[in-house]
Coordinates of all heavy atoms in Angstrom, one line a residue:
M1 N -107.5 111.5 -83.6 CA -106.7 110.4 -83.4 C -107.3 109.2 -84.1 O -108.5 108.9 -83.9 CB -106.6 110.1 -81.8 CG -105.8 108.9 -81.5 SD -105.7 108.5 -79.8 CE -105.0 109.9 -79.1
P2 N -106.6 108.5 -84.9 CA -107.2 107.3 -85.6 C -107.3 106.1 -84.7 O -106.7 106.0 -83.6 CB -106.1 107.1 -86.7 CG -104.9 107.6 -86.2 CD -105.2 108.8 -85.3
F3 N -108.2 105.2 -85.1 CA -108.5 104.0 -84.4 C -107.9 102.8 -85.2 O -107.9 102.9 -86.4 CB -110.0 103.8 -84.1 CG -110.5 104.8 -83.2 CD1 -111.2 105.9 -83.6 CD2 -110.4 104.6 -81.8 CE1 -111.7 106.9 -82.8 CE2 -111.0 105.5 -80.9 CZ -111.6 106.7 -81.4
Y4 N -107.5 101.8 -84.4 CA -107.0 100.6 -85.1 C -107.6 99.4 -84.5 O -107.9 99.3 -83.3 CB -105.4 100.5 -84.9 CG -104.7 101.7 -85.4 CD1 -104.4 102.8 -84.6 CD2 -104.3 101.7 -86.7 CE1 -103.8 103.9 -85.1 CE2 -103.6 102.8 -87.3 CZ -103.4 103.9 -86.5 OH -102.7 105.0 -87.0
L5 N -107.9 98.4 -85.3 CA -108.4 97.1 -84.8 C -107.1 96.2 -84.7 O -106.5 95.8 -85.7 CB -109.4 96.5 -85.8 CG -109.9 95.1 -85.4 CD1 -110.7 95.2 -84.1 CD2 -110.9 94.6 -86.5
V6 N -106.8 95.8 -83.5 CA -105.6 94.9 -83.2 C -106.1 93.5 -82.8 O -106.9 93.4 -81.9 CB -104.8 95.5 -82.1 CG1 -103.5 94.7 -81.8 CG2 -104.4 97.0 -82.4
T7 N -105.7 92.5 -83.5 CA -106.1 91.1 -83.2 C -104.9 90.2 -83.1 O -103.8 90.5 -83.7 CB -107.0 90.6 -84.3 OG1 -106.3 90.6 -85.6 CG2 -108.3 91.3 -84.4
Q8 N -105.0 89.2 -82.2 CA -104.0 88.2 -82.0 C -104.6 86.9 -82.3 O -105.7 86.6 -81.8 CB -103.4 88.3 -80.6 CG -102.2 87.4 -80.3 CD -102.5 86.0 -80.1 OE1 -103.6 85.6 -79.6 NE2 -101.6 85.1 -80.3
T9 N -104.0 86.1 -83.2 CA -104.6 84.8 -83.6 C -103.7 83.7 -83.3 O -102.5 83.8 -83.6 CB -104.9 84.8 -85.1 OG1 -105.7 85.9 -85.4 CG2 -105.6 83.5 -85.5
S10 N -104.2 82.6 -82.6 CA -103.4 81.5 -82.3 C -104.1 80.2 -82.7 O -105.4 80.1 -82.5 CB -103.2 81.4 -80.8 OG -102.4 82.5 -80.3
L11 N -103.4 79.3 -83.2 CA -104.0 77.9 -83.5 C -103.7 77.1 -82.3 O -102.5 76.8 -82.0 CB -103.4 77.3 -84.8 CG -103.9 76.0 -85.2 CD1 -105.5 76.0 -85.4 CD2 -103.2 75.5 -86.4
T12 N -104.7 76.7 -81.5 CA -104.5 76.0 -80.3 C -105.3 74.8 -80.2 O -106.5 74.7 -80.5 CB -104.9 77.0 -79.1 OG1 -104.2 78.2 -79.2 CG2 -104.7 76.4 -77.7
E13 N -104.7 73.7 -79.7 CA -105.4 72.4 -79.5 C -105.9 72.4 -78.1 O -105.1 72.6 -77.1 CB -104.4 71.3 -79.8 CG -105.1 69.9 -79.7 CD -104.1 68.8 -80.0 OE1 -103.0 69.0 -80.2 OE2 -104.6 67.6 -79.9
A14 N -107.2 72.1 -78.0 CA -107.8 72.1 -76.6 C -109.1 71.3 -76.7 O -109.6 70.9 -77.7 CB -108.1 73.5 -76.1
D15 N -109.6 71.0 -75.5 CA -110.9 70.2 -75.4 C -112.1 71.0 -75.7 O -113.1 70.4 -76.2 CB -111.0 69.6 -74.0 CG -109.9 68.6 -73.7 OD1 -109.4 67.9 -74.6 OD2 -109.5 68.4 -72.5
D16 N -112.1 72.3 -75.4 CA -113.3 73.1 -75.7 C -112.9 74.6 -75.9 O -111.7 74.9 -75.8 CB -114.4 73.0 -74.6 CG -113.9 73.4 -73.2 OD1 -112.8 74.0 -73.1 OD2 -114.5 73.0 -72.2
E17 N -113.8 75.4 -76.2 CA -113.5 76.8 -76.5 C -112.9 77.6 -75.3 O -111.9 78.3 -75.4 CB -114.8 77.6 -76.9 CG -115.3 77.2 -78.2 CD -116.3 76.0 -78.1 OE1 -116.5 75.5 -77.0 OE2 -116.9 75.6 -79.1
E18 N -113.4 77.3 -74.1 CA -112.9 78.0 -72.9 C -111.4 77.6 -72.6 O -110.6 78.4 -72.3 CB -113.7 77.7 -71.7 CG -113.3 78.5 -70.5 CD -114.2 78.2 -69.3 OE1 -115.4 77.8 -69.4 OE2 -113.7 78.5 -68.1
A19 N -111.1 76.3 -72.8 CA -109.8 75.8 -72.6 C -108.8 76.4 -73.6 O -107.7 76.8 -73.3 CB -109.7 74.3 -72.6
A20 N -109.3 76.5 -74.9 CA -108.5 77.1 -75.9 C -108.2 78.5 -75.6 O -107.1 79.0 -75.8 CB -109.2 77.0 -77.3
A21 N -109.2 79.3 -75.1 CA -109.0 80.7 -74.8 C -108.0 80.8 -73.6 O -107.1 81.7 -73.7 CB -110.3 81.3 -74.4
R22 N -108.1 80.0 -72.6 CA -107.2 80.0 -71.5 C -105.7 79.7 -71.9 O -104.8 80.3 -71.5 CB -107.6 79.1 -70.4 CG -108.8 79.5 -69.7 CD -109.2 78.5 -68.6 NE -110.5 78.8 -68.0 CZ -110.7 79.6 -67.0 NH1 -109.7 80.2 -66.5 NH2 -111.9 79.8 -66.6
I23 N -105.6 78.7 -72.8 CA -104.2 78.4 -73.3 C -103.6 79.5 -74.1 O -102.5 79.9 -73.9 CB -104.3 77.1 -74.2 CG1 -104.6 75.9 -73.3 CG2 -103.0 76.9 -74.9 CD1 -105.0 74.6 -74.1
A24 N -104.4 80.2 -74.9 CA -103.9 81.3 -75.7 C -103.5 82.5 -74.8 O -102.5 83.0 -75.0 CB -105.0 81.7 -76.7
V25 N -104.3 82.8 -73.8 CA -104.0 83.9 -72.9 C -102.8 83.5 -72.1 O -101.9 84.4 -71.9 CB -105.2 84.2 -72.0 CG1 -104.8 85.2 -70.9 CG2 -106.4 84.8 -72.9
D26 N -102.7 82.3 -71.6 CA -101.5 81.9 -70.9 C -100.2 82.0 -71.7 O -99.2 82.4 -71.3 CB -101.6 80.5 -70.4 CG -102.6 80.4 -69.2 OD1 -103.0 81.4 -68.6 OD2 -103.1 79.3 -68.9
Q27 N -100.3 81.6 -73.0 CA -99.2 81.7 -73.9 C -98.8 83.2 -74.1 O -97.6 83.5 -74.1 CB -99.5 81.1 -75.3 CG -99.5 79.6 -75.2 CD -100.0 79.0 -76.6 OE1 -100.5 79.7 -77.4 NE2 -99.8 77.7 -76.7
I28 N -99.7 84.1 -74.2 CA -99.4 85.5 -74.4 C -98.8 86.0 -73.1 O -97.8 86.7 -73.2 CB -100.7 86.3 -74.7 CG1 -101.2 86.0 -76.1 CG2 -100.5 87.8 -74.6 CD1 -102.6 86.5 -76.4
R29 N -99.3 85.7 -72.0 CA -98.8 86.2 -70.7 C -97.4 85.7 -70.4 O -96.6 86.3 -69.8 CB -99.7 85.8 -69.5 CG -101.0 86.6 -69.5 CD -101.9 86.2 -68.4 NE -103.1 87.0 -68.4 CZ -104.2 86.6 -67.8 NH1 -104.2 85.5 -67.1 NH2 -105.3 87.4 -67.8
S30 N -97.1 84.4 -70.8 CA -95.8 83.9 -70.5 C -94.7 84.1 -71.6 O -93.6 83.9 -71.3 CB -95.9 82.3 -70.3 OG -96.3 81.7 -71.5
G31 N -95.1 84.5 -72.7 CA -94.2 84.7 -73.8 C -93.4 86.0 -73.7 O -93.8 86.9 -73.0
S32 N -92.4 86.1 -74.5 CA -91.6 87.3 -74.6 C -92.0 88.2 -75.7 O -91.8 89.4 -75.6 CB -90.1 87.0 -74.7 OG -89.9 86.3 -75.9
K33 N -92.7 87.6 -76.7 CA -93.2 88.4 -77.9 C -94.6 87.9 -78.3 O -94.9 86.8 -78.1 CB -92.2 88.3 -79.1 CG -90.9 88.9 -78.8 CD -90.0 88.7 -80.1 CE -88.6 89.2 -79.8 NZ -87.7 89.0 -80.9
V34 N -95.4 88.9 -78.8 CA -96.7 88.5 -79.3 C -96.8 89.1 -80.7 O -96.6 90.3 -80.9 CB -97.8 89.1 -78.4 CG1 -99.2 88.8 -78.9 CG2 -97.7 88.6 -77.0
A35 N -97.3 88.3 -81.6 CA -97.5 88.7 -83.0 C -99.0 89.1 -83.1 O -99.9 88.4 -82.7 CB -97.2 87.6 -84.0
V36 N -99.2 90.3 -83.6 CA -100.5 90.9 -83.7 C -100.7 91.4 -85.2 O -99.8 91.7 -85.9 CB -100.9 92.0 -82.7 CG1 -100.8 91.5 -81.3 CG2 -99.9 93.1 -82.9
T37 N -102.0 91.5 -85.5 CA -102.4 92.1 -86.8 C -103.1 93.4 -86.5 O -104.0 93.5 -85.7 CB -103.3 91.2 -87.6 OG1 -102.7 89.9 -87.8 CG2 -103.7 91.8 -88.9
V38 N -102.6 94.5 -87.2 CA -103.2 95.8 -86.9 C -103.9 96.3 -88.2 O -103.2 96.3 -89.3 CB -102.1 96.8 -86.5 CG1 -102.7 98.2 -86.3 CG2 -101.4 96.3 -85.3
K39 N -105.2 96.6 -88.1 CA -105.9 97.0 -89.3 C -106.4 98.4 -89.1 O -107.1 98.7 -88.1 CB -107.1 96.0 -89.5 CG -107.9 96.3 -90.7 CD -108.9 95.1 -90.9 CE -109.7 95.3 -92.2 NZ -110.7 94.2 -92.3
S40 N -106.0 99.3 -90.0 CA -106.4 100.7 -89.8 C -107.6 101.0 -90.7 O -108.3 102.0 -90.4 CB -105.2 101.7 -90.1 OG -104.8 101.4 -91.4
D41 N -107.8 100.3 -91.8 CA -109.0 100.4 -92.6 C -109.2 99.1 -93.4 O -108.4 98.1 -93.1 CB -108.9 101.6 -93.6 CG -107.7 101.6 -94.5 OD1 -107.3 100.5 -94.9 OD2 -107.2 102.7 -94.8
E42 N -110.1 99.0 -94.3 CA -110.4 97.8 -95.0 C -109.2 97.3 -95.8 O -109.1 96.1 -96.1 CB -111.6 97.9 -95.9 CG -112.9 98.0 -95.1 CD -113.2 99.4 -94.6 OE1 -112.5 100.4 -95.0 OE2 -114.0 99.5 -93.7
T43 N -108.3 98.1 -96.3 CA -107.2 97.7 -97.2 C -105.8 97.7 -96.5 O -104.9 97.1 -97.0 CB -107.2 98.6 -98.4 OG1 -106.9 100.0 -98.0 CG2 -108.4 98.5 -99.2
T44 N -105.7 98.4 -95.4 CA -104.4 98.5 -94.8 C -104.2 97.6 -93.5 O -104.9 97.8 -92.5 CB -104.1 100.0 -94.3 OG1 -104.3 100.8 -95.4 CG2 -102.7 100.1 -93.8
V45 N -103.4 96.6 -93.7 CA -103.2 95.6 -92.6 C -101.7 95.5 -92.4 O -100.9 95.3 -93.3 CB -103.8 94.2 -92.9 CG1 -103.5 93.2 -91.8 CG2 -105.3 94.3 -93.2
S46 N -101.3 95.6 -91.1 CA -99.8 95.4 -90.7 C -99.7 94.3 -89.8 O -100.6 94.0 -88.9 CB -99.3 96.7 -90.1 OG -99.5 97.8 -90.9
H47 N -98.6 93.5 -89.9 CA -98.3 92.4 -89.0 C -97.1 92.9 -88.1 O -96.1 93.2 -88.7 CB -98.0 91.1 -89.7 CG -99.2 90.7 -90.5 ND1 -100.3 90.1 -90.0 CD2 -99.4 90.8 -91.9 CE1 -101.1 89.8 -91.0 NE2 -100.6 90.2 -92.1
I48 N -97.3 92.9 -86.8 CA -96.3 93.5 -85.9 C -96.0 92.5 -84.8 O -97.0 91.9 -84.3 CB -96.8 94.9 -85.4 CG1 -97.0 95.8 -86.5 CG2 -95.8 95.5 -84.4 CD1 -97.7 97.1 -86.1
V49 N -94.8 92.5 -84.3 CA -94.4 91.7 -83.1 C -94.0 92.7 -82.0 O -93.2 93.5 -82.3 CB -93.3 90.7 -83.4 CG1 -92.9 90.0 -82.2 CG2 -93.7 89.7 -84.5
V50 N -94.7 92.5 -80.9 CA -94.4 93.4 -79.8 C -94.0 92.6 -78.5 O -94.3 91.4 -78.4 CB -95.7 94.3 -79.4 CG1 -96.0 95.2 -80.6 CG2 -96.9 93.4 -79.1
P51 N -93.3 93.2 -77.6 CA -93.0 92.5 -76.3 C -94.3 92.2 -75.6 O -95.2 93.0 -75.5 CB -92.2 93.5 -75.5 CG -91.8 94.6 -76.5 CD -92.8 94.6 -77.6
A52 N -94.3 91.0 -75.0 CA -95.5 90.5 -74.3 C -95.5 91.1 -72.8 O -96.5 91.3 -72.3 CB -95.6 89.0 -74.2
K53 N -94.3 91.2 -72.3 CA -94.2 91.7 -70.9 C -93.8 93.1 -70.9 O -92.9 93.5 -71.6 CB -93.3 90.8 -70.1 CG -93.8 89.4 -70.0 CD -92.8 88.6 -69.1 CE -93.3 87.2 -69.0 NZ -92.5 86.3 -68.2
Q54 N -94.4 93.9 -70.0 CA -94.0 95.3 -69.9 C -92.7 95.4 -69.3 O -92.4 94.8 -68.3 CB -95.1 96.1 -69.1 CG -94.9 97.5 -69.1 CD -96.0 98.2 -68.3 OE1 -96.8 97.6 -67.6 NE2 -96.1 99.5 -68.4
A55 N -91.8 96.3 -69.9 CA -90.5 96.5 -69.3 C -90.7 97.3 -68.0 O -91.6 98.1 -67.8 CB -89.7 97.3 -70.3
I56 N -89.8 97.0 -67.1 CA -89.8 97.7 -65.8 C -89.3 99.1 -66.0 O -88.2 99.3 -66.5 CB -89.0 96.9 -64.7 CG1 -89.6 95.6 -64.5 CG2 -88.9 97.7 -63.4 CD1 -88.7 94.7 -63.6
S57 N -90.0 100.1 -65.6 CA -89.6 101.4 -65.7 C -88.8 101.8 -64.5 O -89.1 101.6 -63.4 CB -90.9 102.3 -65.7 OG -90.5 103.7 -65.7
L58 N -87.6 102.4 -64.8 CA -86.7 102.9 -63.7 C -87.3 104.1 -63.0 O -86.9 104.4 -61.9 CB -85.3 103.2 -64.3 CG -84.6 102.0 -64.9 CD1 -83.3 102.4 -65.5 CD2 -84.4 100.9 -63.8
A59 N -88.2 104.8 -63.7 CA -88.8 106.0 -63.1 C -90.0 105.7 -62.2 O -90.5 106.6 -61.6 CB -89.2 107.0 -64.2
A60 N -90.4 104.4 -62.2 CA -91.6 104.1 -61.4 C -91.3 104.2 -59.9 O -90.2 103.9 -59.4 CB -92.0 102.6 -61.7
P61 N -92.2 104.8 -59.1 CA -92.0 105.0 -57.7 C -91.9 103.6 -57.0 O -92.7 102.7 -57.3 CB -93.1 105.8 -57.2 CG -94.2 105.6 -58.2 CD -93.5 105.3 -59.5
V62 N -91.0 103.5 -56.0 CA -90.9 102.3 -55.3 C -91.2 102.5 -53.8 O -90.8 103.5 -53.3 CB -89.4 101.7 -55.4 CG1 -89.2 100.5 -54.6 CG2 -89.1 101.5 -56.8
A63 N -92.0 101.7 -53.2 CA -92.4 101.9 -51.8 C -91.2 101.5 -51.0 O -90.6 100.4 -51.2 CB -93.6 101.0 -51.5
H64 N -90.9 102.3 -50.0 CA -89.7 102.0 -49.1 C -90.2 101.2 -48.0 O -91.4 101.1 -47.7 CB -89.2 103.4 -48.6 CG -88.6 104.2 -49.6 ND1 -87.4 103.9 -50.3 CD2 -89.1 105.4 -50.2 CE1 -87.2 104.8 -51.2 NE2 -88.2 105.7 -51.2
A65 N -89.3 100.5 -47.3 CA -89.6 99.5 -46.3 C -90.3 100.2 -45.1 O -91.1 99.6 -44.4 CB -88.4 98.8 -45.8
D66 N -90.0 101.5 -44.8 CA -90.6 102.2 -43.7 C -92.0 102.8 -44.0 O -92.7 103.2 -43.1 CB -89.7 103.3 -43.2 CG -89.3 104.3 -44.3 OD1 -89.5 104.0 -45.5 OD2 -88.9 105.4 -44.0
E67 N -92.4 102.7 -45.3 CA -93.7 103.2 -45.7 C -94.7 102.0 -45.7 O -94.3 100.9 -46.1 CB -93.7 103.8 -47.1 CG -92.9 105.1 -47.2 CD -92.9 105.6 -48.6 OE1 -93.7 105.1 -49.5 OE2 -92.1 106.5 -48.9
Q68 N -95.9 102.2 -45.2 CA -96.9 101.2 -45.2 C -97.8 101.4 -46.3 O -98.3 102.5 -46.5 CB -97.6 101.1 -43.9 CG -96.8 100.5 -42.7 CD -97.7 100.2 -41.6 OE1 -98.8 100.6 -41.5 NE2 -97.1 99.5 -40.6
V69 N -98.0 100.4 -47.2 CA -99.0 100.5 -48.3 C -100.1 99.5 -48.0 O -99.9 98.4 -47.7 CB -98.3 100.0 -49.6 CG1 -99.2 100.1 -50.7 CG2 -97.0 100.9 -49.8
S70 N -101.3 100.1 -48.0 CA -102.5 99.3 -47.7 C -103.0 98.6 -49.0 O -103.2 99.2 -50.0 CB -103.7 100.2 -47.2 OG -104.8 99.5 -47.1
A71 N -103.1 97.2 -48.8 CA -103.5 96.5 -50.0 C -105.0 96.5 -50.2 O -105.5 96.1 -51.2 CB -103.0 95.0 -49.8
T72 N -105.7 96.9 -49.1 CA -107.2 96.8 -49.2 C -107.8 98.1 -49.8 O -108.9 98.1 -50.3 CB -107.8 96.6 -47.8 OG1 -107.4 97.6 -46.9 CG2 -107.4 95.2 -47.3
S73 N -107.1 99.2 -49.6 CA -107.7 100.5 -50.1 C -107.2 100.7 -51.5 O -106.0 100.7 -51.9 CB -107.2 101.7 -49.2 OG -105.8 101.8 -49.3
P74 N -108.2 101.0 -52.4 CA -107.8 101.2 -53.8 C -107.1 102.6 -54.0 O -107.4 103.5 -53.3 CB -109.2 101.2 -54.5 CG -110.2 101.6 -53.5 CD -109.6 101.1 -52.2
T75 N -106.2 102.6 -54.9 CA -105.5 103.8 -55.2 C -106.4 104.6 -56.1 O -107.0 104.1 -57.0 CB -104.1 103.6 -55.8 OG1 -104.3 102.8 -57.0 CG2 -103.2 102.9 -54.9
P76 N -106.5 105.9 -56.0 CA -107.3 106.8 -56.9 C -106.7 106.8 -58.3 O -105.5 106.7 -58.4 CB -107.2 108.2 -56.2 CG -106.0 108.2 -55.4 CD -105.8 106.7 -54.9
L77 N -107.6 106.8 -59.2 CA -107.1 106.8 -60.6 C -106.6 108.2 -61.0 O -107.2 109.2 -60.6 CB -108.3 106.5 -61.6 CG -108.8 105.1 -61.5 CD1 -110.0 105.0 -62.5 CD2 -107.7 104.1 -61.9
S78 N -105.5 108.2 -61.7 CA -105.0 109.5 -62.2 C -105.8 109.9 -63.4 O -106.6 109.1 -63.9 CB -103.5 109.4 -62.5 OG -103.4 108.6 -63.7
V79 N -105.7 111.2 -63.8 CA -106.4 111.6 -65.0 C -106.0 110.8 -66.2 O -106.9 110.5 -67.0 CB -106.1 113.2 -65.2 CG1 -106.7 113.6 -66.5 CG2 -106.6 113.9 -64.0
A80 N -104.8 110.5 -66.3 CA -104.3 109.7 -67.5 C -105.0 108.4 -67.5 O -105.4 107.9 -68.6 CB -102.8 109.6 -67.5
E81 N -105.1 107.7 -66.4 CA -105.7 106.4 -66.3 C -107.2 106.4 -66.6 O -107.7 105.6 -67.3 CB -105.4 105.7 -64.9 CG -104.0 105.3 -64.7 CD -103.7 104.8 -63.3 OE1 -104.6 105.0 -62.4 OE2 -102.7 104.3 -63.1
A82 N -107.9 107.5 -66.1 CA -109.3 107.6 -66.4 C -109.5 107.9 -67.9 O -110.4 107.3 -68.5 CB -109.9 108.8 -65.6
D83 N -108.6 108.7 -68.5 CA -108.7 109.0 -69.9 C -108.4 107.7 -70.7 O -109.1 107.4 -71.7 CB -107.7 110.1 -70.4 CG -108.1 111.4 -69.9 OD1 -109.3 111.6 -69.5 OD2 -107.2 112.3 -69.9
R84 N -107.5 106.9 -70.3 CA -107.1 105.6 -71.0 C -108.3 104.7 -71.0 O -108.6 104.1 -72.0 CB -106.0 105.0 -70.3 CG -105.3 103.9 -71.1 CD -104.0 103.4 -70.4 NE -103.1 104.4 -70.0 CZ -102.5 104.5 -68.9 NH1 -102.6 103.5 -68.0 NH2 -101.7 105.5 -68.6
K85 N -109.1 104.6 -69.9 CA -110.3 103.8 -69.8 C -111.3 104.3 -70.8 O -112.0 103.5 -71.5 CB -110.8 103.7 -68.4 CG -110.0 102.8 -67.5 CD -110.7 102.6 -66.2 CE -110.0 101.7 -65.3 NZ -110.7 101.3 -64.1
T86 N -111.5 105.6 -70.9 CA -112.5 106.1 -71.8 C -112.1 105.8 -73.3 O -112.9 105.4 -74.1 CB -112.6 107.6 -71.6 OG1 -113.0 107.9 -70.3 CG2 -113.6 108.2 -72.5
I87 N -110.8 106.0 -73.6 CA -110.3 105.7 -74.9 C -110.5 104.2 -75.2 O -110.9 103.9 -76.4 CB -108.8 106.1 -75.0 CG1 -108.7 107.7 -75.0 CG2 -108.2 105.6 -76.3 CD1 -107.3 108.2 -74.8
L88 N -110.2 103.3 -74.3 CA -110.3 101.9 -74.6 C -111.8 101.5 -74.8 O -112.1 100.7 -75.7 CB -109.8 101.1 -73.4 CG -108.3 101.0 -73.3 CD1 -107.9 100.3 -72.0 CD2 -107.7 100.4 -74.5
R89 N -112.7 102.2 -74.1 CA -114.1 101.9 -74.4 C -114.5 102.4 -75.8 O -115.3 101.7 -76.5 CB -115.0 102.7 -73.3 CG -115.0 102.0 -72.0 CD -116.0 102.6 -71.0 NE -115.9 102.1 -69.7 CZ -115.5 102.8 -68.7 NH1 -115.3 104.1 -68.8 NH2 -115.4 102.3 -67.5
R90 N -114.0 103.5 -76.2 CA -114.3 104.0 -77.6 C -113.7 103.1 -78.6 O -114.3 102.8 -79.6 CB -113.7 105.4 -77.7 CG -114.5 106.5 -77.0 CD -114.0 107.8 -77.1 NE -113.5 108.2 -78.4 CZ -112.6 109.2 -78.7 NH1 -112.1 109.9 -77.7 NH2 -112.2 109.4 -79.9
I91 N -112.5 102.6 -78.4 CA -111.9 101.6 -79.3 C -112.7 100.4 -79.4 O -112.9 99.9 -80.6 CB -110.4 101.3 -78.9 CG1 -109.6 102.6 -79.1 CG2 -109.8 100.2 -79.7 CD1 -108.2 102.5 -78.5
V92 N -113.1 99.8 -78.3 CA -113.9 98.6 -78.4 C -115.2 98.8 -79.1 O -115.7 98.0 -80.0 CB -114.2 98.0 -77.0 CG1 -115.2 96.9 -77.0 CG2 -112.9 97.6 -76.3
A93 N -115.9 100.0 -78.8 CA -117.1 100.3 -79.5 C -116.9 100.4 -81.0 O -117.7 99.9 -81.9 CB -117.7 101.6 -79.0
D94 N -115.8 101.1 -81.4 CA -115.5 101.2 -82.8 C -115.1 99.9 -83.5 O -115.5 99.6 -84.6 CB -114.3 102.2 -83.0 CG -114.7 103.6 -82.8 OD1 -115.9 103.9 -82.8 OD2 -113.8 104.5 -82.6
A95 N -114.5 99.0 -82.7 CA -114.1 97.7 -83.3 C -115.4 96.9 -83.5 O -115.5 96.2 -84.6 CB -113.2 96.9 -82.3
F96 N -116.4 96.9 -82.6 CA -117.6 96.2 -82.8 C -118.4 96.8 -84.0 O -119.1 96.1 -84.7 CB -118.5 96.2 -81.6 CG -118.0 95.2 -80.6 CD1 -117.6 95.6 -79.3 CD2 -118.0 93.8 -80.9 CE1 -117.2 94.6 -78.4 CE2 -117.6 92.9 -80.0 CZ -117.2 93.3 -78.8
S97 N -118.3 98.2 -84.2 CA -119.0 98.8 -85.3 C -118.4 98.3 -86.7 O -119.1 98.3 -87.7 CB -119.0 100.3 -85.2 OG -117.7 100.8 -85.5
L98 N -117.1 98.0 -86.7 CA -116.5 97.5 -87.9 C -117.0 96.1 -88.2 O -117.0 95.7 -89.4 CB -115.0 97.4 -87.7 CG -114.2 98.7 -87.7 CD1 -112.8 98.5 -87.4 CD2 -114.4 99.4 -89.0
L99 N -117.5 95.3 -87.3 CA -118.0 94.0 -87.5 C -119.4 94.0 -88.0 O -119.9 92.9 -88.5 CB -117.9 93.2 -86.2 CG -116.5 93.0 -85.6 CD1 -116.6 92.3 -84.3 CD2 -115.7 92.2 -86.6
K100 N -120.1 95.1 -87.9 CA -121.5 95.1 -88.4 C -121.5 95.1 -89.9 O -120.7 95.6 -90.6 CB -122.2 96.4 -87.9 CG -122.4 96.4 -86.4 CD -123.1 97.7 -86.0 CE -123.2 97.8 -84.6 NZ -123.8 99.1 -84.2
P101 N -122.5 94.4 -90.5 CA -122.6 94.3 -92.0 C -123.0 95.7 -92.5 O -123.7 96.4 -91.9 CB -123.8 93.3 -92.2 CG -124.5 93.1 -90.9 CD -123.5 93.6 -89.8
R102 N -122.4 96.0 -93.6 CA -122.6 97.3 -94.3 C -123.5 97.1 -95.4 O -123.5 96.1 -96.2 CB -121.3 97.9 -94.7 CG -120.4 98.2 -93.6 CD -119.2 98.9 -93.9 NE -118.4 99.2 -92.8 CZ -117.1 99.5 -92.8 NH1 -116.5 99.6 -93.9 NH2 -116.5 99.8 -91.7
P103 N -124.4 98.1 -95.6 CA -125.4 98.0 -96.8 C -124.7 98.1 -98.1 O -123.7 98.6 -98.3 CB -126.3 99.2 -96.5 CG -125.6 100.1 -95.5 CD -124.6 99.3 -94.9

């Protein structure tokens, strides 16, 4: 499976770096679309616009009023969610390796 470096860039006016980061993240969370740059290698770069908010899945299970859901007990991770976390860690490690200077 190939890896991609995905970046989102915003020009934001703020008092400091932390405020700028918060503004950018808030804009992403509140927006309907996010423009990103996808880099698969040194020469191939794509500019893509994706939905910022996840669409509601009709197949998602819904808790019924007669069922009690505990907010304090964590739900166990499914195999797919555990695999997703492992894949994300690998992607981040690969992204950082792309930033290292090459001889």
Side-chain angles (χ1 to χ4, degrees):
M1 177 184 302
F3 291 97
Y4 301 93
L5 178 62
V6 180
T7 56
Q8 188 279 334
T9 306
S10 298
L11 180 60
T12 304
E13 183 178 2
D15 294 330
D16 59 17
E17 292 88 355
E18 185 176 338
R22 289 181 190 272
I23 291 169
V25 170
D26 289 343
Q27 287 175 346
I28 292 170
R29 288 180 179 160
S30 67
S32 60
K33 295 179 183 177
V34 177
V36 295
T37 301
V38 180
K39 187 173 184 180
S40 58
D41 58 34
E42 287 80 16
T43 59
T44 308
V45 177
S46 303
H47 300 283
I48 301 170
V49 177
V50 294
K53 295 182 181 181
Q54 186 177 14
I56 298 174
S57 172
L58 297 177
V62 177
H64 297 288
D66 56 345
E67 294 178 12
Q68 287 192 350
V69 178
S70 173
T72 58
S73 64
T75 58
L77 292 177
S78 69
V79 174
E81 289 173 348
D83 289 343
R84 195 174 309 138
K85 284 188 175 188
T86 303
I87 291 169
L88 286 174
R89 285 188 188 116
R90 287 177 43 200
I91 290 171
V92 169
D94 287 344
F96 281 118
S97 70
L98 290 173
L99 298 174
K100 293 180 183 176
R102 294 187 179 161

